[in-house]
Amino acid sequence: MSNDELPVVVIGAGPVGLAAAAELRERDREVLVFERGRVPGAAVAQWNHVRLFSRWGELIAPPARRLLDIAGWTAPEENAYPTGRDWQQQYLAPLATALGSRIVRTGVEVTGVSRRGRDRVVDAERDTAPFTVHLRHADGREERVFAAAVIDASGTWGAPNPLGGDGLAALGETAAAAAGVIGYRVPDLDDPAAAARHAGRHTVIAGSGHSTLTAIVALAGLAEQAPGTRLTWVLRRGEIGATFGGGDADQLPARGALGERARRAVEAGLLEVVTGFRTAAVEPAAGGQVALVADSGARVEGVDAVVTLTGFAPDLSWLSQIRLELDSTLQAPVRLAPMIDPNVHSCGTVYPHGVGELSHPESGFYSAGMKSYGRAPTFLAMTGYEQVRSIAAELAGDHDAARRVELVLPDTGVCGGAGVFDDPDTSTADTADAAGGGGCGGAPDAGETAGQTVPELITLTASGARLS
Ligand SMILES: Cc1cc2nc3c(=O)[nH]c(=O)nc-3n(C[C@H](O)[C@H](O)[C@H](O)COP(=O)(O)OP(=O)(O)OC[C@H]3O[C@@H](n4cnc5c(N)ncnc54)[C@H](O)[C@@H]3O)c2cc1C
């Protein structure tokens, strides 16, 4: 069988993996999607209680909509904001059904990717050899399939970052997590058991991203209702600074509003804020409680539960035989990394990117979706939809369409670099200077981005008009 007759394998049936499949079907390419969860969108289904800050209209990939329309789908209201559950049940699951169970295989984990008969070191005929994709079915059965190309859209949900301030589990963290004191997800307080873990008790929230803001708003609501509920918010950075986001300046209004609600909870005194706290150890204490100990020696005592929301990292363990070219800091593809690096700019403006930035020395292997951002924050589904449109065009031989990328990403309204802001000894004003003025227009010049030509910058205004 020639490589052209082999399918493209997509790893992960999340929003971006399913969008990739819809793109490829439109272009008459054979495609197989493997999803380790029992349902399509299994990762999204795990945060089903969280309301998205994107509108429905921003969460539906164009080819998916076309496919669903043919299937007689009733589209949700464009301007409404779904929860994770809504996104999974009203869009991802019907999309997988429309693609068909021959294409979307759930309960199948990809455990390794390589070139047929060649490990990472072998050069001979590497580019013409098919990929081998190793699979493990839910019943433990193993299988190997061959592919012409592979799109890794497996996300990062499965690899949350630890509480430890140095990026490794703090001393005692693993034991405390095993004992159920430390969790790594936004708690679902509609679940009585989850609410009981926090009501009338002392919870520490650790982190500074959108999930942290979501947890702050939810737990502050509980604190208002349940007497004796105590909340402490620990941040590595020296001050809250831009953590609440851009507010009214955020071009995703619900994202801005989330930050504002969190700000109000803090201003109302519902949380005690501890900045510059880099957790070094989690010490057991009486009554099943723990104490958090910082590098500086500072302590947070009498903690019943810790909600750790410190971001995610890509799992690269099953790609050890693939020749990846990843940025040493972000673990994102090297040509994409300078565009999304929070140390450089965090404004949400991103240069148009597609197949050129998502490729690797391993020809035919592409990173896409949340995982393509590596450790960088603020990935949006619409970014991923544009990525896989470009990759699918390339795989279908439509090179012009593949390179005619028009990524439009709403501005967060926050300037400066989150990575730089993380310095506990540095104020926001200082870091804005350090980040080149910190202005949202402060994206790097053409010559500053890893030796590549930077195309036209496109920014979406609040009204949806584009600025160049
Ligand atoms: C709480 C929360 C709120 C968010 N809100 C928004 C929002 O409002 N707007 C927005 O645009 N984005 C939002 N995001 C980001 C969002 O996660 C992404 O936009 C979207 O889910 C990314 O899709 P993805 O397909 O890249 O990854 P995922 O949704 O993570 O999907 C990856 C899939 O791959 C599967 N998988 C992983 N490993 C394997 C393997 N080895 N083999 C087979 N399958 C595998 C997983 O089970 C998963 O189903 C939010 C994220 C979180 C966590």
Side-chain angles (χ1 to χ4, degrees):
M1 189 184 273
S2 84
N3 255 5
D4 284 347
E5 294 168 73
L6 289 172
V8 175
V9 160
V10 176
I11 307 171
V16 177
L18 291 174
E23 293 280 2
L24 289 160
R25 286 312 297 141
E26 260 192 1
R27 289 179 173 275
D28 286 328
R29 279 298 307 241
E30 279 297 314
V31 54
L32 293 175
V33 183
F34 296 113
E35 165 57 54
R36 73 174 166 199
R38 281 184 298 114
V39 293
V44 172
Q46 286 190 33
W47 45 272
N48 56 27
H49 56 291
V50 177
R51 191 165 295 282
L52 280 88
F53 47 73
S54 298
R55 296 177 302 112
W56 266 117
E58 296 153 344
L59 295 166
I60 298 167
R65 187 189 290 275
R66 291 190 283 271
L67 187 66
L68 284 163
D69 283 347
I70 293 168
W73 181 60
T74 306
E77 209 276 297
E78 290 286 296
N79 289 317
Y81 293 91
T83 59
R85 178 184 287 109
D86 298 334
W87 202 17
Q88 196 274 336
Q89 292 184 353
Q90 296 177 41
Y91 169 67
L92 298 173
L95 176 56
T97 303
L99 286 161
S101 56
R102 195 187 63 78
I103 290 180
V104 182
R105 318 267 176 98
T106 53
V108 186
E109 180 174 12
V110 172
T111 55
V113 184
S114 189
R115 291 282 188 182
R116 185 176 191 175
R118 289 158 183 79
D119 66 14
R120 188 181 180 125
V121 178
V122 178
D123 272 342
E125 295 165 11
R126 187 171 192 90
D127 288 350
T128 52
F131 286 94
T132 65
V133 181
H134 286 227
L135 308 172
R136 184 166 52 225
H137 293 258
D139 60 7
R141 190 165 43 92
E142 291 183 322
E143 190 187 353
R144 186 171 76 134
V145 298
F146 302 115
V150 174
I151 301 175
D152 180 6
S154 60
T156 54
W157 175 255
N161 288 333
L163 176 64
D166 48 15
L168 302 173
L171 302 181
E173 178 176 345
T174 307
V181 176
I182 300 181
Y184 300 89
R185 308 297 189 210
V186 177
D188 178 2
L189 299 179
D190 289 337
D191 170 3
R197 267 198 292 281
H198 302 285
R201 308 177 81 207
H202 181 196
T203 297
V204 169
I205 305 162
S208 56
H210 294 116
S211 291
T212 304
L213 301 180
T214 304
I216 286 174
V217 170
L219 286 162
L222 181 73
E224 283 180 313
Q225 291 165 15
T229 303
R230 186 180 156 204
L231 303 175
T232 304
W233 179 20
V234 300
L235 297 96
R236 286 195 305 195
R237 56 187 68 181
E239 57 178 41
I240 294 178
T243 305
F244 293 126
D248 289 345
D250 193 322
Q251 288 167 1
L252 290 181
R255 188 170 59 185
L258 174 66
E260 288 308 300
R261 290 175 70 196
R263 182 200 303 277
R264 282 198 296 275
V266 170
E267 286 172 354
L270 293 167
L271 298 96
E272 187 184 330
V273 181
V274 182
T275 55
F277 192 94
R278 298 184 170 220
T279 309
V282 182
E283 293 180 355
Q289 291 187 320
V290 296
L292 304 190
V293 186
D295 262 346
S296 62
R299 300 175 69 90
V300 179
E301 306 277 0
V303 178
D304 295 296
V306 184
V307 175
T308 303
L309 300 165
T310 48
F312 299 92
D315 179 1
L316 303 167
S317 59
W318 43 271
L319 296 176
S320 61
Q321 301 307 326
I322 292 295
R323 296 178 178 180
L324 299 176
E325 196 172 23
L326 298 174
D327 175 70
S328 58
T329 304
L330 292 183
Q331 295 178 297
V334 282
R335 285 178 292 279
L336 175 60
M339 305 179 188
I340 58 174
D341 189 343
N343 288 296
V344 180
H345 75 122
S346 65
C347 300
T349 43
V350 168
Y351 292 96
H353 73 268
V355 68
E357 289 77 11
L358 301 164
S359 304
H360 296 276
E362 193 74 66
S363 68
F365 186 93
Y366 305 96
S367 301
M370 186 95 171
K371 191 168 180 179
S372 72
Y373 267 39
R375 290 165 180 263
T378 60
F379 177 82
L380 291 175
M382 63 167 95
T383 310
Y385 298 160
E386 178 59 20
Q387 291 177 335
V388 295
R389 186 202 62 76
S390 170
I391 294 169
E394 177 77 2
L395 289 172
D398 189 349
H399 305 299
D400 286 347
R403 265 136 191 103
R404 200 178 52 241
V405 177
E406 291 186 356
L407 176 64
V408 176
L409 192 59
D411 203 284
T412 59
V414 178
C415 304
V420 184
F421 284 175
D422 220 21
D423 185 341
D425 303 321
T426 313
S427 76
T428 309
D430 294 342
T431 53
D433 286 346
C440 287
D445 293 335
E448 292 176 339
T449 53
Q452 63 188 323
T453 309
V454 176
E456 178 192 24
L457 174 66
I458 297 174
T459 306
L460 191 70
T461 69
S463 64
R466 283 205 215 149
L467 301 171
S468 299

